[in-house]
């Protein structure tokens, strides 16, 4: 377009210049010719006849026609004869100007030639003044030349210009196409690759084909892609780490955005709130907060709910973005069942202790009051006996409690030495023999040959075994059989104390090592049990690095098993 406009403007300008040059040239020639005619044929001829006479009738120049017009007789042609004879009349603006005493000039007027052909002319009319009256126009020398030659010259130029424009346009077109191709080709390629990168394909490298701006741009895009790739890789691995952590956490995490949409929920959260995955994902934030007891206002940022057989604590915390604006909130869920159970156990323990102490105290109080009211010596003796045994019971209970408390506070000091387990068991049997005999029970023990050494506090181990044997005696009918058996493995000694007594119901089995737990409270109390014996036994076994387990069938009998670590001295 630019080339086209420039060519057209400059062409038009050139045409104008050439035309005005041509016209100026023609005017000059016509004027000069008129002057020549004046000098040769008109000067000094006062009459038209004279002028006609003087006019030779032939032209000095073929390309210019000349006529002398008589201004006095409406510009009649005086000479030359061929124009005068045909009585030709010229009507032109140049003649009007000459009539007014000025040299006139006109271009492009159409008029007939001698052969009656209509042509376009360049006309010039020069006035010749009267010799007597200098202000009066006497003749007009009218010269004209055919404009055709000038026009054809101009047409030639115009044609040349048009051809030049066409050639220039073609050249521009071809050059433009080639140039655009070399420039836009790489850009189109680059754009295509950049779009692929934008879709996430960041692993490709665009080949750099030149060192120009496009080449530099390509290199920059390649660098950017590899940086982005690395950055996204880092982000992904961070995300995976976080997800792995969240997934494997035992605490539940629920994250909501500011619009209340659930954006993250880990596996533990489904488990803890006891909701199905779909139910949890579809539950609106407000409903979830209400479900977790976090609903009413901002004050309740923490709560504990019972979900199924568990207790779950939920705490709510908002999270913010880098600018400090709140972006949402996180709910962290924790299984506090154990804590809750511990708390319950503590309460239960206090209640148990109070209860255990209150019973003998009440008895003592009643008997004492009766004694104070006065009683006969026999009754007094009997009552004092009851008070004595109840006091024993209480002091036994307090002793056991103190012992447990020492275990809890890790204040109990074990006097560890190398002990022969065979000997300890034999001693315990002896201690329980009287009781067993009373119920006509048999305690059997086949000690393994040789000594079974363990590192232990002999007194404490004795306490454990005696307690178990005495339980077997207590909770078995008369004439029952209590079998004691000591087995050895490379690392341990296993002591099994088996009775065929009343046994323990399956539901109670896991709890018999708990403090104050008794299957049958009245029976236990009647037998002088505090319900702390097995709890102390377990503490002692654990303090020795050993273990105590129970297996029992209700109504058939119980087996208590003790596992001791073998002493280095006794190892095979
Ligand atoms: P207790 O002082 O009541 O004997 P323990 O802690 O020694 O307390 O025992 C806890 C409970 O376990 C007993 O009350 C009893 O119900 C049960 N138990 C323990 N040993 C036996 C056994 N050999 N046979 C049946 N029940 C037993």
């Amino acid at each position: 377009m630019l080339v086209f406009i420039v060519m057209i403007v400059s062409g038009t300008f050139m045409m104008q210049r050439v035309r005005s040059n041509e016209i100026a040239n023609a005017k000059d020639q016509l004027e000069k010719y008129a002057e020549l005619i004046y000098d040769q044929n008109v000067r000094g001829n006062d009459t038209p006849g004279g002028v006609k006479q003087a006019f030779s009738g032939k032209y000095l120049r073929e390309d210019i026609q000349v006529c002398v017009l008589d201004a006095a007789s409406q510009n009649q042609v005086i000479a030359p004869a061929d124009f005068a004879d045909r009585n030709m009349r010229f009507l032109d603006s140049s003649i009007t100007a000459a009539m007014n005493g000025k040299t006139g000039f006109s271009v492009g007027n159409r008029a007939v030639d001698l052969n009656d052909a209509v042509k376009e002319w360049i006309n010039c009319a020069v006035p010749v003044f009267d010799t007597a009256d200098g202000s009066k126009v006497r003749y007009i020398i009218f010269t004209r030349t055919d404009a055709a030659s000038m026009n054809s010259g101009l047409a030639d130029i115009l044609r040349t210009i048009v051809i030049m424009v066409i050639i220039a346009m073609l050249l521009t077109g071809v050059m433009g196409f080639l140039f655009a191709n070399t420039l836009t080709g790489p850009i189109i390629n680059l754009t295509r690759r950049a779009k692929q990168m934008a879709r996430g394909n960041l692993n490709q490298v665009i080949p750099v084909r030149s060192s120009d701006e496009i080449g530099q741009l390509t290199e920059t895009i390649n660098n950017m892609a590899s940086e982005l790739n690395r950055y996204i890789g880092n982000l992904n691995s961070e995300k995976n780490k976080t997800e792995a952590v969240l997934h494997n956490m035992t605490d539940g995490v629920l994250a909501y955005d500011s619009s209340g949409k659930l954006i993250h929920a880990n596996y533990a959260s489904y488990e803890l709130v006891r909701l199905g995955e779909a139910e949890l994902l579809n539950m609106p934030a407000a409903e979830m907060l209400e479900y977790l007891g976090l609903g009413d206002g901002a004050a309740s940022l923490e709560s504990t709910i019972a979900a199924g057989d568990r207790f779950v604590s939920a705490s709510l915390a908002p999270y913010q973005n880098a600018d400090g604006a709140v972006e949402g909130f996180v709910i962290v869920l924790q299984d506090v069942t154990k804590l809750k159970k511990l708390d319950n156990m503590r309460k239960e323990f206090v209640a148990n202790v109070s209860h255990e102490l209150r019973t003998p105290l009440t008895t003592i109080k009643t008997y004492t009051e009766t004694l104070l009211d006065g009683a006969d010596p026999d009754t007094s003796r009997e009552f004092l006996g009851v008070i004595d045994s109840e006091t024993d019971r209480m002091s036994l209970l307090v002793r056991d409690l103190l012992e447990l408390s020492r275990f809890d506070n890790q204040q109990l000091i074990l006097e560890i030495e190398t002990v022969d387990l065979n000997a300890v068991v034999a001693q315990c049997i002896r201690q329980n023999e009287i009781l067993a005999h009373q119920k006509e029970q048999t305690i059997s023990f086949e000690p393994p040959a040789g000594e079974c050494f363990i590192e232990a506090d002999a007194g404490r181990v004795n306490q454990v075994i005696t307690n178990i044997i005495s339980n077997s005696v207590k909770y078995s009918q008369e004439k029952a059989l209590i079998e004691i058996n000591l087995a050895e493995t490379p690392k341990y000694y296993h002591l099994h104390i088996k009775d065929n007594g009343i046994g323990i119901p399956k539901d109670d089995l896991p709890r018999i090592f708990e403090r104050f737990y008794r299957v049958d409270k009245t029976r236990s109390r009647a037998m002088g049990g505090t319900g702390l014996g097995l709890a102390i036994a377990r503490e002692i076994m654990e303090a020795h690095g050993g273990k105590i387990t129970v297996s029992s069938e209700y109504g058939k009998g119980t087996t208590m098993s003790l596992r001791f670590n073998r002493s280095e001295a006794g190892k095979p």
Side-chain angles (χ1 to χ4, degrees), residues 184-333:
T184 56
I187 291 181
I188 289 171
N189 187 25
L190 206 58
T191 312
R192 191 164 44 83
R193 296 291 199 113
K195 276 184 186 163
Q196 287 174 2
M197 285 178 177
R199 281 196 292 270
N201 182 5
L202 288 168
N203 286 320
Q204 58 176 325
V205 176
I206 313 173
V208 181
R209 294 216 171 82
S210 59
S211 58
D212 59 3
E213 284 81 356
I214 299 281
Q216 287 171 22
L217 182 62
T218 312
E219 225 160 85
T220 313
I221 289 181
N222 279 340
N223 283 344
M224 192 183 73
S226 81
E227 279 296 299
L228 265 179
N229 213 3
R230 202 167 55 80
Y231 189 60
I232 290 173
N234 285 348
L235 273 183
N236 270 340
S237 83
E238 281 303 315
K239 191 174 156 247
N240 289 344
K241 266 190 242 163
T242 314
E243 259 171 22
V245 169
L246 279 174
H247 185 80
N248 293 307
M249 259 169 80
T250 48
D251 288 356
V253 176
L254 296 170
Y256 290 86
D257 65 10
S258 53
S259 68
K261 196 173 146 240
L262 181 64
I263 51 176
H264 191 91
N266 66 350
Y267 179 71
S269 60
Y270 307 137
E271 285 279 294
L272 287 173
V273 296
R274 290 291 156 105
L275 291 173
E277 187 174 342
E279 201 181 344
L280 186 131
L281 293 179
N282 292 327
M283 191 181 263
E287 221 172 283
M288 176 59 82
L289 289 175
E290 203 183 307
Y291 178 74
L292 295 175
L294 298 167
D296 302 327
S300 54
L301 288 176
E302 273 186 23
S303 76
T304 305
I305 59 154
D309 56 348
R310 295 195 216 182
F311 289 94
V312 175
S313 95
S315 58
L316 177 94
Y319 63 89
Q320 299 165 338
N321 65 9
D323 302 331
V326 174
E327 287 220 314
F329 58 91
V330 181
I331 298 172
V332 179
L333 304 164

Side-chain angles (χ1 to χ4, degrees), residues 225-440:
S226 81
E227 279 296 299
L228 265 179
N229 213 3
R230 202 167 55 80
Y231 189 60
I232 290 173
N234 285 348
L235 273 183
N236 270 340
S237 83
E238 281 303 315
K239 191 174 156 247
N240 289 344
K241 266 190 242 163
T242 314
E243 259 171 22
V245 169
L246 279 174
H247 185 80
N248 293 307
M249 259 169 80
T250 48
D251 288 356
V253 176
L254 296 170
Y256 290 86
D257 65 10
S258 53
S259 68
K261 196 173 146 240
L262 181 64
I263 51 176
H264 191 91
N266 66 350
Y267 179 71
S269 60
Y270 307 137
E271 285 279 294
L272 287 173
V273 296
R274 290 291 156 105
L275 291 173
E277 187 174 342
E279 201 181 344
L280 186 131
L281 293 179
N282 292 327
M283 191 181 263
E287 221 172 283
M288 176 59 82
L289 289 175
E290 203 183 307
Y291 178 74
L292 295 175
L294 298 167
D296 302 327
S300 54
L301 288 176
E302 273 186 23
S303 76
T304 305
I305 59 154
D309 56 348
R310 295 195 216 182
F311 289 94
V312 175
S313 95
S315 58
L316 177 94
Y319 63 89
Q320 299 165 338
N321 65 9
D323 302 331
V326 174
E327 287 220 314
F329 58 91
V330 181
I331 298 172
V332 179
L333 304 164
Q334 271 175 320
D335 188 344
V336 290
T337 316
K338 265 191 191 159
L339 280 177
K340 197 86 181 169
K341 266 193 185 154
L342 273 178
D343 196 41
N344 286 346
M345 269 167 75
R346 187 184 54 80
K347 287 180 190 156
E348 212 174 287
F349 182 72
V350 173
N352 277 333
V353 172
S354 325
H355 183 76
E356 292 295 333
L357 288 174
R358 201 185 60 193
T359 321
L361 272 176
T362 318
T363 317
I364 293 169
K365 175 88 180 147
T366 328
Y367 280 66
T368 319
E369 275 172 2
T370 317
L371 284 176
L372 283 174
D373 284 347
D376 60 72
D378 282 351
T379 319
S380 297
R381 183 165 294 280
E382 192 195 327
F383 279 18
L384 284 170
V386 173
I387 291 173
D388 185 48
S389 81
E390 285 301 303
T391 318
D392 279 350
R393 239 179 93 73
M394 266 167 63
S395 67
L396 211 69
L397 185 70
V398 171
R399 188 202 66 193
D400 282 358
L401 280 174
L402 275 175
E403 200 156 288
L404 273 174
S405 138
R406 271 191 225 113
F407 273 108
D408 290 344
N409 299 324
Q410 276 147 5
Q411 282 174 347
L412 197 97
I413 299 154
L414 295 174
E415 285 164 24
I416 301 288
E417 54 191 334
T418 308
V419 181
D420 178 14
L421 193 54
N422 270 336
V424 179
V425 176
Q427 193 190 0
C428 293
I429 293 170
R430 275 197 300 281
Q431 283 166 359
N432 282 284
E433 236 154 22
I434 304 169
L435 270 177
H437 272 303
Q438 283 172 1
K439 290 178 89 176
E440 289 174 58

Side-chain angles (χ1 to χ4, degrees), residues 345 348-357 397-398 400-401 404 511-519 521 524-525 529-536:
M345 269 167 75
E348 212 174 287
F349 182 72
V350 173
N352 277 333
V353 172
S354 325
H355 183 76
E356 292 295 333
L357 288 174
L397 185 70
V398 171
D400 282 358
L401 280 174
L404 273 174
R511 302 195 60 189
I512 60 161
F513 295 104
E514 283 176 20
R515 295 169 189 193
F516 293 116
Y517 193 82
R518 287 178 285 204
V519 178
K521 278 192 188 348
S524 160
R525 234 180 250 129
T530 57
L532 294 173
L534 287 180
I536 295 173

Side-chain angles (χ1 to χ4, degrees), residues 467 471 474-475 499 503-504 517-519 524 529-531 533-534 558:
N467 185 280
N471 274 348
K474 273 194 278 179
Y475 302 109
D499 63 56
I504 302 165
Y517 193 82
R518 287 178 285 204
V519 178
S524 160
T530 57
L534 287 180
T558 307

